[in-house]
């Protein structure tokens, strides 16, 4: 018989419940003092992830302020009328009817087609030879009385100019002046309305700074893109005064002439060009720096043209070979190939072979930099040049002239007679018939001269700073340069209509 456990008495059941209740209360109190206790009857829910945002710039306030100053520029011009049907009866490559048997179906068909094409050609001759074309670009107000900056290539050849602001209101404008060298133009809206305008930035733009581009891409109007300054001092082959800011804010067709702003709402550059294999933005845009634009626009406003200082020299970069041949410590500065006749440089005594190292204390980095520095001075300004001549630095004062529209260039006369050779340099030389220089008769394709671009027919005018008139003079100067321990010999060479300096290193036949 199984023994059964007696059931607890009522008083025992009460005590058991009391003890359980006390323990549960202790657990709850302990949980409140530490972490919450999840009841088996109450489900727990995870909270949504929340991240404290970093402080990133918003361009909305900036755009609200500057947008009224940014405009679209619509221009009209007359261009030659195109001939949609081509230039003649066989423009599409149709067979000549004369190649088929006379009277054959093919001959009759193409003869009839040719006659029809001839009639169409006569009708086209009676049509207008020009048609009106419309171009679109961007621009921005720089004064409350209506001066508008844009690109020269936006307005080039146009006769009518229309400005449309951010509200869609249109104004007629007139052209004040253009500068092809920097691709800038200035328009003027003659209206009693006071326009919202923006200023050019005064401070230094740094690589990595945030920028905002506003313009009229593809005629959409009022489009804003943002990015950073990717690089400075870019040369893109647009001209002698290339000094572009590269940005990665999207710039497309129609953005030309529009502004790029810094976060203060000031213009750091004028959007001018893009690099793109497809014609659309790939994140490489180029803007004219504010400092350049402000100087050019001031001249256009005051004179209707840009007035630049003029030194009057043909210059070239100083390579390391040239620096070695001149005993210069650094390959910096601009080498004078030839001073121009009746130029300020010639009047001041600047000579071929001079290396211009600084202008009024401003270091000349290279030949292009010298042109930019001189262009920043007004005509009749006297500047102090630091010139490296004969192995030492000299100071030369030059009173600048006004940059002329074209440069004078001398013609080249060449000789045909073969003569002495300079074996170390890979040259065969002959005297020039007029006695001016020594003509290159042959060039060793494996020699130093060939590596430096000297070609048959070039004329050597000077070697090591001394003028030469016969091959023996060249030989003498080369030997002298070697005796002085030079690593290279410097020659002044005329190729076609251009004169340049070439440093030929020794040691390679």
């Amino acid at each position: 018989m199984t023994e059964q456990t007696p059931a607890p008495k009522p008083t025992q059941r009460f005590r058991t419940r009391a003890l359980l209740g006390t323990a549960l209360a202790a657990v709850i109190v302990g949980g409140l003092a530490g972490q919450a206790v999840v009841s088996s009857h109450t489900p727990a829910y995870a909270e949504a992830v929340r991240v404290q945002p970093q402080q990133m710039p918003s361009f909305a306030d900036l755009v609200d302020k500057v947008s009224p100053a940014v405009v679209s520029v619509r221009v009209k011009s007359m261009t030659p009328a195109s001939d949609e049907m081509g230039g003649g009866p066989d423009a599409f490559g149709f067979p000549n009817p004369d190649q088929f048997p006379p009277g054959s179906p093919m001959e009759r068909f193409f003869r009839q087609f040719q006659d029809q094409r001839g009639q169409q050609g006569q009708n086209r001759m009676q049509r207008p030879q020009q048609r009106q074309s419309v171009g679109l670009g961007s621009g921005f107000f720089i004064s409350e009385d209506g001066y508008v900056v844009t690109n020269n290539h936006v307005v080039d050849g146009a006769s009518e100019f229309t400005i449309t602001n951010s509200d869609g209101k249109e104004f007629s404008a007139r052209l004040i002046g253009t500068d092809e060298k920097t691709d800038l133009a200035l328009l003027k809206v003659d209206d009693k309305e006071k326009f919202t305008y923006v200023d050019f930035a005064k401070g230094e733009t740094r690589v990595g700074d945030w920028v905002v581009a506003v313009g009229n891409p593809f005629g959409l109007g009022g489009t804003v893109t943002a990015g950073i300054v990717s690089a400075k001092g870019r040369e893109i082959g647009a001209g002698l005064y290339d000094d572009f800011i590269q940005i990665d804010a999207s710039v497309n067709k129609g953005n030309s002439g529009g502004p790029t702003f810094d976060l203060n709402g000031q213009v750091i550059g004028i959007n001018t060009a893009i690099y793109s294999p497809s014609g659309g933005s790939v994140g490489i845009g180029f803007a004219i720096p504010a400092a350049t634009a402000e100087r050019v626009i001031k001249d256009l406003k005051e004179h209707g043209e840009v007035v630049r200082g003029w030194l009057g020299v043909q210059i070239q970069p100083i390579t390391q070979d040239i620096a070695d041949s001149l005993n210069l410590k650094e390959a910096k500065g601009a080498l004078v190939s030839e001073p121009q006749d009746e130029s300020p440089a010639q009047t001041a005594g600047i000579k071929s072979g001079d290396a211009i190292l600084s202008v009024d204390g401003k270091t000349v980095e290279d030949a292009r930099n010298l042109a930019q520095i001189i262009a920043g001075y007004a005509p009749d300004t006297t500047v102090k040049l630091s010139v490296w001549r004969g192995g030492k630095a000299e100071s030369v004062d030059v009173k600048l002239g006004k940059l002329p529209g074209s440069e004078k260039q001398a013609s080249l006369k060449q000789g045909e007679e073969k003569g002495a050779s300079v074996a170390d340099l890979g040259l065969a030389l002959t005297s020039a018939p007029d006695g001016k220089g020594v003509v290159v008769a042959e060039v060793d394709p494996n020699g130093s001269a060939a590596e430096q671009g000297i070609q048959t027919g070039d004329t050597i005018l000077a070697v090591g700073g001394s003028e030469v008139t016969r091959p023996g003079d060249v030989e003498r100067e080369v030997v002298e340069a070697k005796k002085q321990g030079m690593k290279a010999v410097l020659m002044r060479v005329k190729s076609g209509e251009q004169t340049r300096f070439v440093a030929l290193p020794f040691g390679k036949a």
Side-chain angles (χ1 to χ4, degrees):
M1 182 174 181
T2 305
E3 185 177 354
Q4 296 181 352
T5 303
K9 295 179 180 180
T11 56
Q12 291 176 329
R13 289 198 299 269
F14 177 77
R15 288 174 182 171
T16 301
R17 291 174 181 171
L19 289 172
L20 289 172
T22 302
L24 180 60
V27 172
I28 294 174
V29 171
L32 291 174
Q35 295 183 355
V37 175
V38 178
S39 169
S40 60
H41 299 291
T42 306
Y45 297 97
E47 292 186 358
V49 174
R50 299 181 185 275
V51 178
Q52 183 67 29
Q54 298 180 359
Q55 295 299 315
M56 295 293 288
S58 172
F59 306 114
D61 291 340
L62 184 153
V63 173
D64 286 343
K65 295 289 186 182
V66 303
S67 289
V70 183
V71 299
S72 66
V73 180
R74 187 173 74 250
V75 301
K76 293 182 180 180
S77 58
M78 300 302 295
T79 60
S82 61
D83 186 355
E84 295 85 355
M85 296 300 292
D90 300 323
F92 286 99
F94 289 104
N96 188 328
D98 292 334
Q99 72 185 64
F100 300 104
S104 67
M106 296 297 289
E107 189 268 346
R108 291 197 303 270
F109 172 79
F110 285 109
R111 183 75 66 189
Q112 182 180 11
F113 179 79
Q114 186 184 61
D115 293 341
Q116 292 174 351
R117 291 276 295 163
Q119 183 61 42
Q120 290 174 356
Q122 292 179 4
N123 294 336
R124 284 194 298 274
M125 291 295 291
Q126 299 172 1
R127 298 174 187 171
Q129 298 301 303
Q130 289 188 323
R131 64 181 178 86
Q132 190 176 69
S133 64
V134 177
L136 293 172
S138 304
F140 56 98
F141 284 110
I142 58 167
S143 66
E144 68 176 9
D145 59 346
Y147 282 97
V148 176
V149 174
T150 187
N151 278 141
N152 172 66
H153 75 259
V154 171
V155 302
D156 188 31
S159 55
E160 294 183 34
F161 313 92
T162 303
I163 303 299
T164 306
N165 65 10
S166 58
D167 294 330
K169 189 174 181 180
E170 294 187 350
F171 304 89
S172 294
R174 57 188 174 91
L175 184 64
I176 299 299
T178 64
D179 181 46
E180 185 179 357
K181 288 182 172 62
T182 56
D183 197 15
L184 288 168
L186 183 65
L187 299 170
K188 177 68 167 65
V189 175
D190 295 318
D191 194 273
K192 295 181 179 180
E193 182 174 335
K194 292 185 177 181
F195 298 98
T196 300
Y197 66 95
V198 289
D199 292 324
F200 289 108
K202 303 296 183 183
E204 181 72 14
T205 300
R206 300 182 304 165
V207 174
D209 281 348
W210 281 103
V211 292
V212 176
V214 185
N216 182 32
F218 303 112
L220 297 173
T223 298
V224 179
T225 56
I228 63 170
V229 175
S230 302
K232 295 168 57 181
R234 288 300 198 206
E235 182 180 1
I236 63 174
L240 183 61
Y241 303 105
D242 278 15
D243 184 25
F244 289 96
I245 298 171
Q246 181 183 327
I247 62 174
D248 68 353
S250 294
V251 175
N252 286 288
K253 294 179 179 179
N255 272 111
S256 291
T260 294
F261 295 99
D262 60 17
L263 296 187
N264 296 320
Q266 294 182 314
V267 179
I268 64 136
I270 293 89
N271 301 319
T272 298
I274 62 173
Y275 172 79
S276 173
S278 62
S281 174
V282 295
I284 302 178
F286 300 100
I288 302 167
T292 300
E294 189 171 23
R295 184 172 62 248
V296 169
I297 294 304
K298 180 181 178 182
D299 276 355
L300 293 179
K301 189 175 181 179
E302 294 178 357
H303 309 291
E305 63 176 350
V306 179
V307 182
R308 293 184 171 92
W310 178 51
L311 182 60
V313 290
Q314 293 181 13
I315 52 178
Q316 68 181 78
I318 296 179
T319 64
Q320 189 58 54
D321 287 338
I322 291 177
D324 291 340
S325 69
L326 295 174
N327 280 334
L328 278 172
K329 293 181 180 180
E330 294 183 286
K332 286 187 175 182
L335 189 65
V336 178
S337 302
E338 189 174 1
Q340 293 175 302
D341 292 338
E342 301 178 359
S343 67
Q346 187 183 61
T347 301
I350 297 295
K351 303 176 181 177
S352 297
D354 286 348
I356 300 175
L357 305 181
S358 69
V359 181
D360 283 345
K362 303 173 187 175
T363 300
V364 176
E365 296 294 332
D366 52 33
R368 184 168 61 96
N369 183 225
L370 174 63
Q372 294 168 350
I373 293 174
I374 295 298
Y377 288 95
D380 298 327
T381 302
T382 299
V383 297
K384 187 178 294 293
L385 305 183
S386 176
V387 175
W388 186 262
R389 178 187 296 168
K392 62 180 181 178
E394 297 185 13
S395 181
V396 180
D397 291 335
V398 182
K399 184 178 181 180
L400 300 178
K402 180 181 177 182
L403 182 67
S406 60
E407 298 180 355
K408 299 177 181 178
Q409 295 181 331
S411 60
L412 173 69
K413 295 182 180 179
Q414 302 175 350
E416 298 179 354
E417 177 190 359
K418 293 186 179 181
S421 66
V422 184
D424 281 351
L425 304 177
L427 291 173
L429 307 174
T430 184
S431 297
D434 58 2
K436 296 180 180 179
V438 177
V439 177
V440 177
E442 290 182 6
V443 179
D444 181 356
N446 298 316
S448 298
E451 288 183 352
Q452 299 302 317
I454 292 182
Q455 300 177 354
T456 301
D458 288 349
T459 301
I460 301 173
L461 302 176
V463 179
S466 300
E467 293 185 358
V468 294
T469 58
R470 56 191 183 87
D473 295 340
V474 178
E475 294 273 10
R476 182 189 67 249
E477 294 300 329
V478 169
V479 171
E480 184 63 27
K482 285 183 176 181
K483 286 182 179 179
Q484 294 179 8
M486 297 287 191
K487 296 179 181 179
V489 62
L490 191 66
M491 295 185 175
R492 184 157 60 99
V493 180
K494 207 165 193 178
S495 303
E497 296 182 346
Q498 296 295 324
T499 302
R500 62 190 174 105
F501 278 90
V502 178
L504 300 184
F506 296 125
K508 185 170 183 178

